[in-house]
Amino acid sequence: MNTEWSLKEIYNGFDDPKYEADFKKLETAMKKEKELVAQEGTKDLKDLVEELIVANEQVAELVFNLDTYISLIQSVDTENGEAMAQQGRLMKIWSEGSATQAAAQKIYAKIPDVDAMAKESDLIREYTFMLKEAKKEAEHLLSDEVEEMIAAMDITGGSAWGKLFSYLTSTVKVDYQGKEITLSEARNLAYSPDAKVRKEAYEAEIASYEKIQDSIAFSLNNIKNQFTMICKKRGYASPIDMTLEQSRMSRKTLDAMMTAIEEYLPVFRKYMRKKAEMLGYKNGLPWYELFAPMGKSDTTYSLEEAKEYLVNNFGKFSPDMADMMKEAFENEWIDFYPKKGKEGGAFCAGVPSIKQSRILTNYDGYFGSIRTLAHELGHAFHNVQIQDHRMLNQDYPMPVAETASTFNETHLVKAALKEATGEEKLNLLENSLMEHTQVIVDIYSRYLFETSVFEQCQDKFLMAEDCKNLMIEAQKKAYGDGLDSNYLHPYMWACKSHYYSSGLSFYNFPYAFGGLFALGLYSKFEKEGADFVPKYKAMLHATPVCTVEQAAAMEGIDLTTPDFWRQSLAQIEELVEEFCKL
């Protein structure tokens, strides 16, 4: 089994004639777009809209293909100078078309009655939701020239600061036990069964950030200030309001979820205090013991064993899912192991042009890595469900983006818990609670931290010490007495890429949303069995063309009141009680 992904299905290198041909096609397609928007008022609106959509589709597919290929190369080799140059080349071309894209959106917004026009055109009917959304988005668009300027300046502004963050965190050397390791390798040691290793790795990790903290603080300040400035120019009340509109999610839903989370924080703290007690600590868990395995924790899995474990478990849920997982392992969709210059963490990137996905992990052989694979393969399964949508209907919002992935985690852990006994069951149960704590409590701390950053960076430049203090304050509010306040993680802002996107903020609450929404969906699967699966697939299929609340309504769920969220959190409380008894 090849341990690195194959990208030749997209392009066979930067010198591939097809790669260069697609750049030329992109320039031609963008020229066609520009010519079409200039024809506004000279031709029938329906005809113009249809031609514009076709041109937009071609541009979107070419940009997506080129950008995905370049980004995937960069993610496993952040020091690749040619990839950096190609990314700059693409962003320059794309920014030059921003004015045209804005003009097209404004033309869509001028359709007097989208539903009426849809009756006259099959193409427009397929894009009914997108065109209605364009009406809302048009209210926040600036002049075509300003839109182009924003996109052009982002290349050397927010996007450049984000790349600096990726470069620094992927190349910084961590001094551990007399040798140099990567940050990803150091963070993976938090799951080691050896307590001494966990503590020393934590100390080495914390020390490594001191080398890069000031540069990352500059990145954070400039990205958040740019985002806030654009928010104000577009007429949004705040960054969170802009994010919620981008997420197609109401503030009422966010508030309902946060209300329920705050109510249940004591439950998570009870679990952490119990774990601390079992490990011999009196003042809550030190941060470096958050991921300490308990029970039987020495089992590791080869890649072949990981594949077999996943395929067997998910075959019981959906044969389609199991087949896709097998294909991912055998057809080189996955880049498995950590290495110098490779990004930390994990992600899944859909590639619509080849109807496949590519997955990055930093596999270490423990059950946590199996769980990570299940999570990312959940994203891939979501991508499969939407692949028959037209190109401009393949973008689903952040909150539901974490639903299929977390559903997979839930299925994996519940299946494992049913078969486990004794020490093995304790290990799985604690591992599950550990992950739930990250998805709910740590995500809550990240949400609090980012809120504070947006509030404060308008009036002052947040130095590294300021960022550390804000993170410690957020962790104390979220974790409470579950953690030992003398051993927190002041640099959690310096190791999470989610803060460093110039076009996307608050990429934290979607994880809590996905986790709790998935628990609610899974409880429906447990009641309905096989009858649930086609409905689940239909919901995933609909996510690019509806709001978050509409997607949930397809399963009979109301997201706007705390009750649904409480029901999901109550399932975690049951696990905490079982853990305390064990």
Side-chain angles (χ1 to χ4, degrees):
M1 184 188 301
N2 199 331
T3 63
E4 296 181 350
W5 56 30
S6 167
L7 302 182
K8 67 179 184 294
E9 292 79 7
I10 312 172
Y11 299 111
N12 206 18
F14 291 130
D15 56 353
D16 184 347
K18 182 174 180 289
Y19 178 82
E20 201 57 43
D22 277 0
F23 259 103
K24 289 185 171 62
K25 285 180 185 177
L26 176 59
E27 291 173 338
T28 302
M30 291 177 74
K31 183 180 177 183
K32 174 68 173 176
E33 270 188 328
K34 192 170 184 178
E35 290 170 355
L36 284 170
V37 297
Q39 294 176 28
E40 184 185 4
T42 66
K43 63 164 52 180
D44 179 73
L45 181 59
K46 178 178 76 68
D47 294 341
L48 179 59
V49 167
E50 287 181 322
E51 290 182 53
L52 261 179
I53 286 174
V54 172
N56 288 167
E57 285 182 324
Q58 187 177 11
V59 169
E61 182 168 350
L62 288 164
V63 169
F64 198 94
N65 242 29
L66 291 164
D67 182 58
T68 300
Y69 182 72
I70 296 167
S71 298
L72 289 173
I73 287 177
Q74 282 185 305
S75 67
V76 294
D77 184 9
T78 56
E79 298 180 76
N80 188 315
E82 187 176 7
M84 292 181 195
Q86 292 294 328
Q87 189 70 55
R89 175 190 181 191
L90 179 61
M91 289 183 72
K92 183 175 182 295
I93 293 172
W94 177 243
S95 70
E96 289 169 354
S98 297
T100 302
Q101 293 290 325
Q105 288 293 100
K106 290 171 185 174
I107 289 171
Y108 295 153
K110 290 176 183 176
I111 300 173
D113 188 336
V114 174
D115 290 321
M117 188 178 283
K119 291 177 182 176
E120 303 172 18
S121 164
D122 290 340
L123 178 63
I124 292 171
R125 179 179 52 76
E126 288 196 62
Y127 282 116
T128 298
F129 180 78
M130 183 195 80
L131 294 170
K132 288 181 178 179
E133 287 294 296
K135 278 184 172 290
K136 296 179 194 174
E137 292 166 10
E139 297 173 10
H140 299 287
L141 286 174
L142 304 170
S143 71
D144 299 348
E145 293 75 15
V146 173
E147 290 291 345
E148 185 172 356
M149 180 63 72
I150 288 173
M153 294 189 73
D154 182 61
I155 296 173
T156 52
S159 288
W161 287 111
K163 286 178 186 171
L164 176 64
F165 163 82
S166 294
Y167 176 79
L168 290 170
T169 54
S170 62
T171 57
V172 67
K173 305 294 189 296
V174 181
D175 300 312
Y176 173 71
Q177 293 186 344
K179 60 182 180 179
E180 290 184 341
I181 62 174
T182 66
L183 192 56
S184 292
E185 288 172 320
R187 289 179 59 75
N188 274 345
L189 291 173
Y191 298 88
S192 168
D194 188 328
K196 185 172 180 285
V197 167
R198 295 193 297 269
K199 184 176 182 182
E200 289 182 358
Y202 161 82
E203 291 168 347
E205 179 198 350
I206 295 295
S208 71
Y209 293 116
E210 294 177 9
K211 306 173 188 176
I212 55 176
Q213 63 176 5
D214 293 330
S215 298
I216 295 181
F218 267 74
S219 297
L220 185 67
N221 278 270
N222 284 295
I223 288 170
K224 295 312 180 191
N225 277 317
Q226 176 178 305
F227 192 86
T228 301
M229 177 188 69
I230 292 171
C231 267
K232 288 178 179 176
K233 292 290 184 186
R234 295 195 186 286
Y236 289 100
S238 68
I240 188 64
D241 285 291
M242 181 171 170
T243 299
L244 285 167
E245 186 158 316
Q246 289 174 331
S247 302
R248 304 205 291 266
M249 174 174 162
S250 74
R251 185 62 186 251
K252 197 173 179 182
T253 293
L254 178 64
D255 289 345
M257 182 178 74
M258 288 301 178
T259 295
I261 286 173
E262 288 163 4
E263 290 173 2
Y264 274 80
L265 288 175
V267 171
F268 292 91
R269 293 167 185 166
K270 179 179 180 179
Y271 146 69
M272 286 182 278
R273 289 195 306 273
K274 186 63 177 177
K275 180 173 181 177
E277 177 191 322
M278 294 169 75
L279 292 172
Y281 298 99
K282 296 180 179 178
N283 300 316
L285 275 175
W287 185 278
Y288 54 81
E289 296 290 41
L290 263 174
F291 307 110
M294 300 189 70
K296 183 183 177 183
S297 59
D298 56 351
T299 303
T300 58
Y301 301 80
S302 68
L303 293 184
E304 194 62 42
E305 289 168 336
K307 180 186 80 170
E308 185 179 350
Y309 191 89
L310 288 165
V311 169
N312 288 344
N313 269 290
F314 283 91
K316 298 167 188 173
F317 170 72
S318 166
D320 293 349
M321 175 89 76
D323 289 343
M324 184 210 70
M325 289 179 164
K326 189 177 180 184
E327 182 182 0
F329 273 86
E330 295 177 356
N331 291 354
E332 302 176 357
W333 288 20
I334 308 171
D335 198 283
F336 288 97
Y337 293 114
K339 60 186 174 184
K340 182 179 178 292
K342 180 177 175 179
E343 287 184 7
F347 67 74
C348 173
V351 192
S353 63
I354 60 172
K355 296 188 184 302
Q356 294 180 5
S357 295
R358 290 296 179 267
I359 292 167
L360 178 144
T361 71
N362 282 274
Y363 190 81
D364 66 2
Y366 291 105
F367 184 79
S369 281
I370 304 279
R371 188 170 181 159
T372 296
L373 279 168
H375 179 103
E376 301 306 337
L377 287 162
H379 286 302
F381 187 68
H382 197 165
N383 294 336
V384 169
Q385 304 315 308
I386 65 167
Q387 66 187 14
D388 65 342
H389 278 300
R390 296 187 70 105
M391 186 64 208
L392 302 179
N393 277 344
Q394 299 228 357
D395 185 23
Y396 43 81
M398 280 198 303
V400 292
E402 294 302 333
T403 297
S405 53
T406 318
F407 185 96
N408 269 20
E409 286 191 64
T410 304
H411 178 76
L412 184 76
V413 172
K414 290 211 173 202
L417 280 170
K418 284 178 184 175
E419 297 174 2
T421 57
E423 288 288 299
E424 186 182 7
K425 183 169 185 178
L426 175 62
N427 176 247
L428 288 167
L429 184 58
E430 198 282 320
N431 190 282
S432 181
L433 286 171
M434 179 207 311
E435 292 295 335
H436 282 309
T437 301
Q438 287 301 293
V439 168
I440 305 302
V441 185
D442 198 64
I443 285 298
Y444 182 63
S445 74
R446 294 189 221 173
Y447 174 77
L448 292 175
F449 170 77
E450 191 161 358
T451 300
S452 297
V453 168
F454 272 119
E455 289 171 353
Q456 295 196 26
C457 72
Q458 302 308 299
D459 302 318
K460 62 181 285 192
F461 189 91
L462 298 172
M463 302 301 288
E465 283 303 312
D466 297 315
C467 295
K468 288 163 65 178
N469 290 335
L470 289 178
M471 182 53 78
I472 290 296
E473 183 182 342
Q475 287 174 355
K476 286 180 177 178
K477 285 181 181 176
Y479 286 95
D481 61 2
L483 288 185
D484 184 337
S485 60
N486 294 310
Y487 296 97
L488 299 177
H489 196 313
Y491 287 107
M492 280 300 283
W493 55 276
C495 65
K496 294 296 179 184
S497 61
H498 304 80
Y499 298 120
Y500 299 90
S501 167
S502 61
L504 188 64
S505 285
F506 289 101
Y507 201 172
N508 34 60
F509 71 78
Y511 283 94
F513 179 103
L516 296 175
F517 189 40
L519 278 175
L521 288 170
Y522 202 83
S523 67
K524 283 183 165 290
F525 166 61
E526 289 178 313
K527 292 171 188 171
E528 300 172 16
D531 291 341
F532 170 83
V533 178
K535 292 190 291 182
Y536 176 62
K537 291 181 180 179
M539 187 206 71
L540 293 177
H541 178 264
T543 51
V545 291
C546 66
T547 67
V548 166
E549 289 79 15
Q550 287 168 340
M554 291 177 68
E555 293 288 350
I557 294 169
D558 179 5
L559 301 176
T560 62
T561 65
D563 289 346
F564 167 75
W565 306 105
R566 288 174 183 138
Q567 289 169 12
S568 293
L569 286 157
Q571 295 181 54
I572 301 174
E573 185 173 21
E574 289 175 9
L575 295 179
V576 171
E577 294 304 320
E578 187 175 357
F579 172 75
C580 290
K581 288 176 185 174
L582 279 176

